[in-house]
Every structure is written in C-alpha cells, then in structure tokens.
Amino acid sequence: MQTVGILGGMGPEASVRFLELLVRNTAAAVDQGHVPTLLWSCPQIPDRTAALLRGGESPVPWLARGAATLTAAGADFLVMPCVTAHGFWPQVAPQIRLPLVHLLHAALDDLRSAQADIKTIGLLATHGTVQTRVVHDVFEPAGIQILLPSDSDQARVMEAIYGHEGIKAGVTTGHPRAVVCEIALQLIQAGAEAILAGCTEIPLVLKPTDLTVPLIEPLVSGARACIRRAGGKLKTDVVG
C-alpha cells in the first residue's frame, strides 16, 4: 500500500477526526488491512483566516516545511484536514513533489455519485474560505450554486468556531452547536438541498441527524479518497 501523509494541526481535533475516519472507513479484518499513515500535526501553523483577511503571518512556509517532512518520512501523497488551508495550496504545490488529495474535489465526486440531482448547497465555513471562494471555485463549475449565511449570521458562525467558548476551544455542545444548527436550518429554508461543512470543525457540532437534507463532509470524502488511493479496501457504507 501507499502511505498517506497528513498535513495536520489545523486544528488538532480535526486531524484526530481525520485519522479516525481513515480507520473507520477501511474494511479490514486485521491490523494489516489498514493504510499506512504519517501525521505531521503542527498547531503553531499561523491561522489561515487571519492570513487571508487581516495580513497575518502566512502559513505557506509552515505548510511547505510540513510537506517536506512528510515527504522525507516516506509519504506517497498528502492530504490537509483543513478546508481554508486549501486556499494556500497553489503557493505550496510548486515546492512539493507529492500530489494532494483535495478535500473539496473528493466531496464533489461523492456528491455527484450519490446525489447528482442536488444543484444548491448551503456553506458553513470560516470567513477565509468564504471570501477566497475556494468552495465556489470547485462546485460552481459543476453547476452547483452556493448559498451563504447573511453577513450577521456569518459572523455568528465565526464566533461559534473561534470564540472564547467556541469549537476550537474544545466546546462542542451548548451555544456553538445551537448557533451552527440554527444557521444550517436557515440555509435549508432558503433553498439549500444539502449543507457543506466548509470548516473541518463544523462536523464536531453538526450531525447528519440534525438536518433534513444531506450533510456534505469533506473530511469523510477525503478520508475515503485517501483509502482508495493508498490501496486499502473501503467499507461499502460511508462512516461519518
């Protein structure tokens, strides 16, 4: 099998969840049936949204260093369990010889396979992901419209993720969960036929059972794409 190189730490809990998804979506009767994996988790990578919107320190040198470390350790391809970080990949890719399993491309492929009739999705994501249009750039050419929260609700999403008692602070119940669920339901009422978790922390509080439409989870799609590419055997049923 090929070895998966995880460029992680953005945030740490998303990296842990991605590892869990790799294991849970692999059809293996023994340890040896699982895919070889290397994790480089560096929570000190500068915040991606701050870099994109407020002139904060660029994460590009950090991402390049992590990718080089994974390459030297024996990874055959890379994956980043952070949607916002994909906005920086065009700057990192020329420095790296390994291919990237792109979370959003994997999510689009899964959506086309399972629900090809969906034409409108609601996006829950960071300001950085929304304003760089990294999701739009993948889904709109496929004929899928992106619905966004209002400006005030987008600010509430950011507070739910980044706030003092937000998801990145380890709070996955109470107020952050209530806010994310409420705004997801508003997007559905506005016409969203599915909700895309455009931040890898969103599925820590928003579950498929909370919604009346499908929840598109790029981490799940990315994990399954990595298993396929590595040569592992996928479970028939998707495990989220």
Side-chain angles (χ1 to χ4, degrees), residues 12 24 40 54 59 62-64 76 79 100 154 192 217 235:
R24 295 180 66 194
W40 184 82
R54 298 190 294 277
W62 297 70
L63 294 172
D76 293 294
V79 63
L100 177 78
Q154 177 60 35
E217 296 189 60
K235 286 183 178 176

Side-chain angles (χ1 to χ4, degrees), residues 131-212:
Q131 295 198 24
T132 57
R133 297 179 62 85
V134 64
V135 174
H136 296 71
D137 290 346
V138 171
F139 282 81
E140 285 186 342
I144 298 172
Q145 178 185 359
I146 308 296
L147 287 183
L148 299 174
S150 66
D151 289 347
S152 59
D153 281 341
Q154 177 60 35
R156 295 174 67 206
V157 171
M158 282 294 288
E159 179 65 21
I161 297 170
Y162 279 96
H164 177 67
E165 294 187 352
I167 304 169
K168 281 187 176 291
V171 181
T172 56
T173 58
H175 183 67
R177 172 172 157 75
V179 167
V180 169
C181 289
E182 176 192 338
I183 296 173
L185 294 177
Q186 290 176 2
L187 288 170
I188 294 169
Q189 291 170 359
E193 301 166 277
I195 297 295
L196 189 142
C199 171
T200 46
E201 273 85 12
I202 291 293
L204 298 174
V205 298
L206 183 67
K207 307 300 178 185
T209 51
D210 294 321
L211 305 175
T212 56

Side-chain angles (χ1 to χ4, degrees), residues 16-175:
V16 171
R17 174 167 163 74
F18 189 80
L19 277 170
E20 181 183 15
L21 290 169
L22 280 177
V23 173
R24 295 180 66 194
N25 281 278
T26 301
V30 294
D31 293 348
Q32 291 74 18
H34 288 276
V35 299
T37 306
L38 292 168
L39 170 62
W40 184 82
S41 180
C42 183
Q44 286 70 42
I45 295 174
D47 186 78
R48 283 64 60 198
T49 295
L52 286 166
L53 304 182
R54 298 190 294 277
E57 183 182 355
S58 172
V60 169
W62 297 70
L63 294 172
R65 183 164 68 248
T69 300
L70 289 167
T71 301
D76 293 294
F77 60 91
L78 303 174
V79 63
M80 295 190 297
C82 173
V83 175
T84 310
H86 284 67
F88 293 96
W89 186 250
Q91 299 173 58
V92 179
Q95 306 177 51
I96 305 301
R97 64 175 178 81
L98 297 184
L100 177 78
V101 171
H102 196 292
L103 296 187
L104 294 174
H105 290 162
L108 176 60
D109 288 344
D110 282 353
L111 182 62
R112 281 171 163 165
S113 298
Q115 288 119 357
D117 57 330
I118 288 178
K119 299 300 180 185
T120 304
I121 62 175
L123 175 61
L124 293 173
T126 64
H127 287 341
T129 294
V130 170
Q131 295 198 24
T132 57
R133 297 179 62 85
V134 64
V135 174
H136 296 71
D137 290 346
V138 171
F139 282 81
E140 285 186 342
I144 298 172
Q145 178 185 359
I146 308 296
L147 287 183
L148 299 174
S150 66
D151 289 347
S152 59
D153 281 341
Q154 177 60 35
R156 295 174 67 206
V157 171
M158 282 294 288
E159 179 65 21
I161 297 170
Y162 279 96
H164 177 67
E165 294 187 352
I167 304 169
K168 281 187 176 291
V171 181
T172 56
T173 58
H175 183 67

